[in-house]
Amino acid sequence: MERTEIVGLSAKIASTFAANTFFGAAIYINAVETPARLSLASTSAMVDNFQATFPRAMGMQLKLVGISSIGSAIGYYLDTTSDRKLLLYASLCMLFNVPWTRFMIMPINHQLMDGDYPKKKGDSWVTDMMRRWDRLNFVRSMSSCAAVICLSRFWIRKAM
């Protein structure tokens, strides 16, 4: 195996791992974390929970998007098969999450992370913001799901 083949294969494997991990985390948030947060006894507890988990999730998801999108782009560049377009599609699906997060989700994050201010806004405001945030995160879940489907299809075709 040539050096460029090893680099391309490594990039594709890293991209696949990162995209699947991102998708798993994003859909977990929609299916488990947000419903659990919304079931807490008070909106104060909801805000405290969000403020405790958000910084960890943000750091992890940013790295996963970077690894997946760059790895898929490298794989696309170095692959010579007709299936390489699936790598480009996966890269674009993951990259979509960057502006979506920046312009749609981060404004909500900033409001919810503003110390005790969200608690002063009232119960309905906190609950509405949590639900709105969850719907916007679902877009990221589906975008990363599309990337996972592209990468899965790429690997299945490679195996044939």
Side-chain angles (χ1 to χ4, degrees):
M1 204 178 242
E2 287 185 34
R3 185 175 179 191
T4 56
E5 290 175 314
I6 293 170
V7 170
L9 179 61
S10 298
K12 291 176 233 177
I13 290 169
S15 175
T16 302
F17 173 79
N20 277 279
T21 304
F22 184 97
F23 171 62
I27 203 70
Y28 169 84
I29 290 167
N30 288 120
V32 178
E33 188 173 321
T34 301
R37 185 177 292 133
L38 288 167
S39 73
L40 292 173
S42 69
T43 54
S44 179
M46 289 180 206
V47 170
D48 290 342
N49 177 269
F50 185 88
Q51 290 177 349
T53 60
F54 167 72
R56 292 179 180 150
M58 182 180 72
M60 180 189 83
Q61 290 188 331
L62 184 61
K63 291 172 190 162
L64 292 172
V65 166
I67 292 167
S68 183
S69 58
I70 292 168
S72 291
I74 291 169
Y76 168 78
Y77 179 74
L78 296 176
D79 197 285
T80 58
T81 66
S82 61
D83 295 327
R84 68 193 281 249
K85 64 183 178 284
L86 292 165
L87 298 168
L88 177 62
Y89 300 156
S91 181
L92 294 173
C93 286
M94 292 305 291
L95 276 174
F96 165 81
N97 290 307
V98 175
W100 181 259
T101 300
R102 172 68 179 98
F103 296 111
M104 301 302 292
I105 296 176
M106 286 306 289
I108 296 172
N109 289 348
H110 292 310
Q111 291 179 64
L112 290 171
M113 292 298 292
D114 191 12
D116 286 336
Y117 180 71
K119 296 174 187 177
K120 296 174 184 174
K121 296 283 276 184
D123 293 351
S124 64
W125 183 87
V126 171
T127 303
D128 290 345
M129 293 303 275
M130 294 288 179
R131 287 193 172 115
R132 184 173 168 208
W133 186 95
D134 189 53
R135 286 190 303 274
L136 293 170
N137 185 69
F138 186 71
V139 174
R140 290 193 301 192
S141 296
M142 293 302 98
S143 177
S144 59
C145 180
V148 167
I149 290 169
C150 289
L151 290 165
S152 298
R153 191 166 178 185
F154 173 83
W155 290 112
I156 289 168
R157 287 184 173 187
K158 283 284 188 207
M160 295 178 150

